[in-house]
Amino acid sequence: MHRHGRRQFRPHHNPHHSAQPPIQVLSPAGDDEPLTITMLGAGQEVGRSCCVIEHRGKKVVCDAGLHPAHPGLGSLPFIDEVDWSTVDAILVTHFHVDHAAALPYIMEKTNFKDGNGKVYMTHATKAIYGLTMMDTVRINDQNTDVSGKLYDEADVQSSWQSTIAVDYHQDIVISGGLRFTPYHAGHVLGASMFMIEIAGLKILYTGDYSREEDRHLVVAEIPPIKPDVMICESTFGVHTLPDRKEKEEQFTTLVSNIVRRGGRCLMPIPSFGNGQELALLLDEYWSEHPELQNVPVYFASGLFQRGMRVYKTYVHTMNSNIRSRFARRDNPFDFKFVKWLKDPRKLNEHKGPCVVMASAQFMSFGLSRELLEDWASDSKNGVIVTGYSIEGTMARTLLSEPDHIESLKGGNIPRRLTVKEISFGAHVDYAQNSKFIQEIGAQHIVLVHGEASQMGRLRAALRDTYATRGQEINIHTPRNCEPLILTFRQERVVKAIGSLAADRPVHGTPLKGLLVSKDFSYTLLDPKDLKDFTGLSTSTLVQKQSIPIGVDWSVIRWHLEGMYGEVEEGVDEEGRASFTIMHAVKVVQISEIVVEIQWSSNSSNDMIADSALAVLLGIDGSPATVKLTSTPHQHSHHGHFHGTATTNGHSNGDASGSEEFDRIRMFLEAHFGEVSGPNVTVAEGEEDELLVMTVKIDEVVARVDLISMRVESDSPDLKRRVETVLEMALTTLKPLSRSFIGSGVVLNLENAAVTA
């Protein structure tokens, strides 16, 4: 692990924040782009969960919560570290304040709305999110400090409408190479963990999760796909919690003891989550103990009451116990003994013992704080803290059993009521977390959502566990705004499809086709399959260029042959005279003063067309043109010629083969001296000597077959030397046009004959 010296920007809303250099884990990965994970909240702390994941130009944010212990802007994640307009998606695991309450601010008060990013959460989470955020606004409106109001009801409504609801196990494709799938996380109704895939790299973000089945929720499930990175909560560190049955017995005993001594029992709860679980437990316990049925049990939250409709709607996402009871028309949420306390002022009229579940969970505000201050001075009363208590909140302060508590109205209140903690927070303890991490089997584990001390102990314990098994594991505990950079070696696999995949290829044999890249994946296919498999189609671009020219058509041919060696004469579809250069570019005579170059565009044809254009544009100013147009000229046309020059008794039109033979012989004689042949006429039975040159050095002979251009000799050294010279001769003599199409020397065999 190496630390770089680069510094990050400090968020302006927290001037005391000290930015940390990024952690970089180096591994040989070639040119592979790194995965960067930056915690904007919940990095070595609990609260304001917000995790930014970046890879190959894609940016995903998981959760956007507020810190319950901080007011106003200070409760937000370090949002200044991100250009929100570049975020592709925000994935919200569940509706709790520390995971979702910053969402209206980010969606409505930042430049997130200037980008193309979307927000995703499960259907149940979206339903409860709207209720909890409206309740947050209501509570903030009671605060006279305007700076503490981050957003209003209009912002919440707008953010809710813009949120996309998804189902568990639904494969959501966001954009090229970016997709995710939600899985059950337990914890609370609608909670999910996300398997995120970016360009083939898989990241599992757990959020808060539970591996213990309670009265209504399923446990967190193990995804069928192994991730490369697991970003995992570490709330309880190395603590081991009592089993479910033991916790329930301790809880009901505590409640019973408080009310039996004539006291009032306060349970601070979130409006959704373990509040419903505790209501189910108390309703069942009261039904089994008639002696307690004269003691009222209240849930003092209108939001709790409205939320029960959501719970009844999403029964199909709960465990088999709840589903089977609903199937028998036994609604477990129709409580017999737990009642809604619509007007909390009625508690003042009730002087006897009672049980009250009230929000907020952390008792920093709300009815739970009011009741705490009212009941704190009576030793018969008691508080049972049933969830995780975040550092800096009243719930955490109470656990230290102070002599006095601070009143929101000012001054101190003596604390005489009893304080006990029995966690039903639906987080994993060490044993559950450790086992789940091992079952997931990720290469890298990133611990988040835990206090620094607990997180450090958990990391050490996990390393010891793996070490005893002879295994290594990479465990990271990044702080807020401290980028974690991971590099992976990823294989690039090309899939052959269509007709290319009809037969299994033999190892080592080349495959030819079109390589199609889409969403960071590669496909090889035959061009004729392109439309069927990709929806794409091929097309040919034909380019044309007209050129004014003031010379005879035969002069144009002379110049083209001078450059390319030979051209093919013909006519186009409209009957106009044309020359074809190197089987690629056509020069058409449009009129006596205009020619047109035509070619199918590709890299090689474009190069030939450029050179032909240069030749044609230079014809008018060429001194050779002046000479050719003032005197008779000699140049070969296929089948006719101008002038009367002859070579070795042959006209120019028939001399190409003899001239090439003479030039080859010239090369051979320059290197070897005596060269005979070729024989253009041989006797019957001696056909093997037709068009053969003989090289002789000190009685050692090498035969050169001008038809096949093969060399035969009893001397390997002479054969090798002659082959080298012959190759040099052919390369030198071969016209440019033949070099391009890959043909050899064209032999004129019209004058070769076999005589009897």
Side-chain angles (χ1 to χ4, degrees):
M1 184 178 296
H2 300 276
R3 296 185 182 271
H4 286 242
R6 190 179 68 224
R7 291 289 177 179
Q8 305 296 315
F9 288 113
R10 294 178 173 86
H12 70 258
H13 60 271
N14 190 345
H16 302 293
H17 166 69
S18 178
Q20 301 296 326
I23 297 176
Q24 187 170 28
V25 178
L26 301 176
S27 60
D31 296 329
D32 290 338
E33 293 190 25
L35 169 72
T36 303
I37 299 172
T38 307
M39 302 304 299
L40 304 185
Q44 297 190 11
E45 67 172 357
V46 178
R48 58 180 169 194
S49 289
C50 191
C51 174
V52 182
I53 302 171
E54 299 175 78
H55 183 56
R56 289 190 176 273
K58 304 296 181 180
K59 186 180 294 183
V60 178
V61 175
C62 294
D63 284 336
L66 296 179
H67 200 301
H70 302 317
L73 290 174
S75 64
L76 287 168
F78 296 103
I79 58 175
D80 299 343
E81 297 290 314
V82 174
D83 178 359
W84 290 92
S85 66
T86 64
V87 172
D88 295 284
I90 299 178
L91 311 180
V92 178
T93 59
H94 62 287
F95 52 76
H96 278 162
V97 169
D98 60 325
H99 289 262
L103 199 55
Y105 186 91
I106 291 172
M107 294 179 69
E108 303 301 321
K109 306 292 187 181
T110 71
N111 63 347
F112 177 78
K113 55 188 176 183
D114 297 333
N116 298 316
K118 304 294 182 183
V119 180
Y120 301 86
M121 59 183 69
T122 63
H123 288 273
T125 298
K126 181 175 180 178
I128 301 176
Y129 163 81
L131 296 175
T132 55
M133 293 306 103
M134 286 296 188
D135 192 55
T136 301
V137 170
R138 179 185 60 79
I139 293 172
N140 285 338
D141 286 344
Q142 297 173 3
N143 190 347
T144 56
D145 184 5
V146 179
S147 63
K149 300 176 182 179
L150 298 176
Y151 43 81
D152 55 25
E153 289 187 1
D155 296 326
V156 172
Q157 184 67 21
S158 178
S159 70
W160 184 86
Q161 291 176 346
S162 300
T163 299
I164 300 173
V166 296
D167 292 320
Y168 291 108
H169 308 135
Q170 183 179 354
D171 182 23
I172 309 296
V173 179
I174 298 175
S175 60
L178 174 59
R179 65 201 311 155
F180 74 91
T181 303
Y183 292 95
H184 287 282
H187 190 59
V188 293
L189 180 65
S192 62
M193 54 180 65
F194 295 107
M195 179 68 77
I196 305 163
E197 182 176 342
I198 308 176
L201 189 68
K202 299 175 181 63
I203 305 103
L204 178 64
Y205 181 83
T206 68
D208 293 352
Y209 76 101
S210 171
R211 289 287 287 170
E212 184 178 66
E213 184 169 314
D214 58 20
R215 276 175 162 68
H216 70 291
L217 295 176
V218 298
V219 300
E221 59 185 324
I222 298 175
I225 303 170
K226 178 181 177 180
D228 300 289
V229 178
M230 178 182 180
I231 304 174
C232 178
E233 72 147 302
S234 55
T235 312
F236 282 117
V238 295
H239 289 173
T240 298
L241 301 177
D243 63 35
R244 185 79 189 180
K245 186 176 180 180
E246 182 182 346
K247 278 195 301 186
E248 290 181 354
E249 289 179 353
Q250 291 177 357
F251 172 72
T252 53
T253 299
L254 276 175
V255 175
S256 176
N257 289 341
I258 293 173
V259 297
R260 288 179 191 277
R261 70 184 182 222
R264 299 183 176 192
C265 179
L266 171 63
M267 282 178 284
I269 60 167
S271 296
F272 301 99
N274 67 349
Q276 283 73 18
E277 179 70 11
L278 295 177
L280 288 169
L281 176 56
L282 288 174
D283 200 63
E284 179 182 309
Y285 185 78
W286 248 242
S287 66
E288 296 172 353
H289 293 80
E291 72 277 10
L292 297 177
Q293 292 175 4
N294 63 329
V295 178
V297 181
Y298 300 115
F299 58 85
S301 169
L303 192 60
F304 185 104
Q305 173 69 8
R306 282 180 287 164
M308 294 311 301
R309 301 171 194 160
V310 179
Y311 273 69
K312 295 174 183 178
T313 301
Y314 291 97
V315 167
H316 64 281
T317 67
M318 299 182 190
N319 60 27
S320 57
N321 173 50
I322 296 294
R323 294 198 304 271
S324 62
R325 289 185 62 176
F326 262 82
R328 299 193 304 267
R329 299 184 180 277
D330 175 18
N331 186 348
F333 295 110
D334 288 338
F335 304 120
K336 296 178 182 178
F337 300 99
V338 179
K339 303 299 181 182
W340 176 32
L341 182 63
K342 188 174 182 179
D343 185 2
R345 289 176 296 182
K346 289 185 177 180
L347 289 175
N348 297 326
E349 302 172 3
H350 182 81
K351 301 301 182 182
C354 63
V355 179
V356 179
M357 294 178 286
S359 60
Q361 176 184 0
F362 304 113
M363 293 186 283
S364 297
F365 51 80
L367 180 61
S368 63
R369 180 60 175 267
E370 294 177 16
L371 294 178
L372 172 66
E373 295 185 7
D374 290 343
W375 297 352
S377 59
D378 191 340
S379 60
K380 292 187 302 218
N381 300 331
V383 172
I384 303 176
V385 178
T386 60
Y388 181 81
S389 302
I390 293 179
E391 185 69 39
T393 62
M394 176 54 71
R396 175 64 69 89
T397 302
L398 272 180
L399 293 180
S400 63
E401 300 189 23
D403 293 333
H404 295 81
I405 60 172
E406 183 180 353
S407 172
L408 292 178
K409 301 173 184 177
N412 292 324
I413 299 173
R415 182 206 61 83
R416 296 190 180 92
L417 83 176
T418 59
V419 179
K420 297 293 181 182
E421 179 185 24
I422 299 179
S423 178
F424 289 87
H427 293 276
V428 286
D429 64 6
Y430 171 71
Q432 296 163 347
N433 208 6
S434 175
K435 183 179 179 182
F436 188 72
I437 288 172
Q438 294 175 53
E439 289 177 332
I440 293 296
Q443 179 182 352
H444 291 270
I445 306 298
V446 182
L447 298 179
V448 300
H449 197 280
E451 295 175 8
S453 58
Q454 294 288 349
M455 194 178 291
R457 285 191 283 269
L458 175 60
R459 177 172 61 180
L462 287 172
R463 285 177 174 170
D464 289 343
T465 300
Y466 276 83
T468 57
R469 298 164 54 185
Q471 298 177 340
E472 292 186 2
I473 187 171
N474 300 296
I475 304 177
H476 315 282
T477 57
R479 288 177 287 184
N480 287 336
C481 303
E482 180 183 78
L484 172 64
I485 302 174
L486 306 176
T487 307
F488 297 84
R489 179 181 292 277
Q490 292 179 273
E491 292 184 355
R492 295 185 179 181
V493 178
V494 178
K495 296 181 180 179
I497 62 175
S499 58
L500 285 182
D503 299 319
R504 188 175 184 86
V506 179
H507 180 71
T509 58
L511 276 179
K512 295 182 180 180
L514 285 176
L515 183 64
V516 180
S517 173
K518 182 182 179 182
D519 299 345
F520 305 103
S521 63
Y522 302 91
T523 303
L524 189 70
L525 72 167
D526 191 284
K528 66 176 181 288
D529 296 330
L530 188 66
K531 187 173 183 180
D532 294 336
F533 287 92
T534 67
L536 303 174
S537 59
T538 58
S539 59
T540 301
L541 180 63
V542 177
Q543 299 202 54
K544 298 181 179 180
Q545 175 68 56
S546 297
I547 305 167
I549 200 159
V551 298
D552 184 73
W553 186 240
S554 61
V555 176
I556 294 174
R557 174 169 190 151
W558 187 89
H559 280 277
L560 293 176
E561 287 182 337
M563 170 61 72
Y564 303 105
E566 63 181 33
V567 295
E568 181 182 343
E569 189 171 10
V571 294
D572 68 357
E573 295 81 359
E574 299 180 20
R576 297 174 297 193
S578 67
F579 296 137
T580 301
I581 304 169
M582 300 174 73
H583 299 275
V585 176
K586 184 178 288 187
V587 179
V588 180
Q589 187 178 28
I590 303 299
S591 68
E592 292 184 356
I593 59 173
V594 176
V595 297
E596 184 178 80
I597 303 177
Q598 302 173 358
W599 72 98
S600 296
S601 184
N602 60 44
S603 57
S604 57
N605 289 359
D606 290 350
M607 181 176 61
I608 298 168
D610 287 343
S611 65
L613 179 63
V615 170
L616 294 173
L617 290 175
I619 287 179
D620 286 341
S622 171
T625 301
V626 177
K627 184 175 181 180
L628 287 170
T629 54
S630 60
T631 61
H633 56 280
Q634 304 173 19
H635 59 277
S636 62
H637 288 224
H638 291 267
H640 70 280
F641 65 94
H642 296 269
T644 58
T646 61
T647 303
N648 295 332
H650 300 285
S651 70
N652 285 354
D654 298 324
S656 61
S658 297
E659 289 177 354
E660 289 171 352
F661 297 158
D662 291 342
R663 291 168 182 164
I664 291 174
R665 183 167 53 240
M666 179 186 68
F667 269 85
L668 295 174
E669 287 176 343
H671 285 78
F672 304 106
E674 182 181 351
V675 177
S676 60
N679 303 319
V680 294
T681 303
V682 296
E684 186 175 1
E686 298 181 356
E687 290 85 353
D688 290 344
E689 299 300 321
L690 181 64
L691 294 178
V692 173
M693 286 185 181
T694 303
V695 177
K696 186 175 182 181
I697 301 178
D698 298 333
E699 306 303 325
V700 181
V701 177
R703 298 173 68 255
V704 180
D705 187 335
L706 295 178
I707 297 176
S708 64
M709 290 299 168
R710 296 181 62 182
V711 179
E712 297 178 355
S713 176
D714 293 335
S715 171
D717 291 338
L718 179 60
K719 178 183 177 182
R720 185 168 56 253
R721 290 176 59 194
V722 173
E723 286 176 341
T724 302
V725 173
L726 181 62
E727 183 180 355
M728 180 174 61
L730 293 174
T731 303
T732 305
L733 299 175
K734 188 161 51 176
L736 182 60
S737 60
R738 296 178 191 171
S739 299
F740 177 73
I741 62 175
S743 63
V745 175
V746 176
L747 303 178
N748 184 355
L749 302 181
E750 293 180 2
N751 296 316
V754 178
T755 58

